[in-house]
Amino acid sequence: MRKIFIELIDPENVATFFVDNSNRQFQLAREILESKASKIPEGDTEYMLKEYVLGLERQLSWANGMISEMKPRLMASTGRQKGKAQ
């Protein structure tokens, strides 16, 4: 179902969807943990937070890798645009 949903997102709306959805996920995770933290054993809370940190680090690594891959294309595109203006 996820693939179908992804295909239905209009390319013009991807940026907004991506940012908004990421922010909502972070907020939901935080609200869940904060509202239930007093009812969860501290060891479980620590485990959850450590796993969350690992997930965030993986996402950060992925995002930085994507940016690194895009930089040469962005620089080339910017150079072409400057050349056209002259």
Side-chain angles (χ1 to χ4, degrees):
M1 291 295 287
R2 184 181 299 192
K3 288 183 181 185
I4 294 170
F5 180 73
I6 291 169
E7 289 299 318
L8 292 174
I9 298 172
D10 185 353
E12 292 179 10
N13 297 325
V14 169
T16 301
F17 178 82
F18 185 89
V19 172
D20 289 349
N21 191 52
S22 294
N23 289 334
R24 278 193 296 269
Q25 277 189 289
F26 293 135
Q27 188 63 34
L28 177 61
R30 184 176 179 167
E31 288 176 14
I32 289 170
L33 184 60
E34 288 176 350
S35 71
K36 303 294 181 182
S38 64
K39 299 173 179 91
I40 301 169
E42 283 187 19
D44 289 351
T45 301
E46 182 180 12
Y47 169 77
M48 290 166 43
L49 289 170
K50 286 181 177 181
E51 287 296 314
Y52 190 69
V53 167
L54 287 173
L56 291 172
E57 288 171 345
R58 287 184 196 112
Q59 290 299 316
L60 179 60
S61 177
W62 170 80
N64 284 330
M66 294 292 288
I67 290 170
S68 292
E69 288 178 18
M70 292 173 59
K71 275 187 181 178
R73 292 189 302 241
L74 291 172
M75 297 299 283
S77 175
T78 302
R80 282 194 299 267
Q81 290 175 356
K82 286 182 181 177
K84 286 182 181 178
Q86 295 176 352

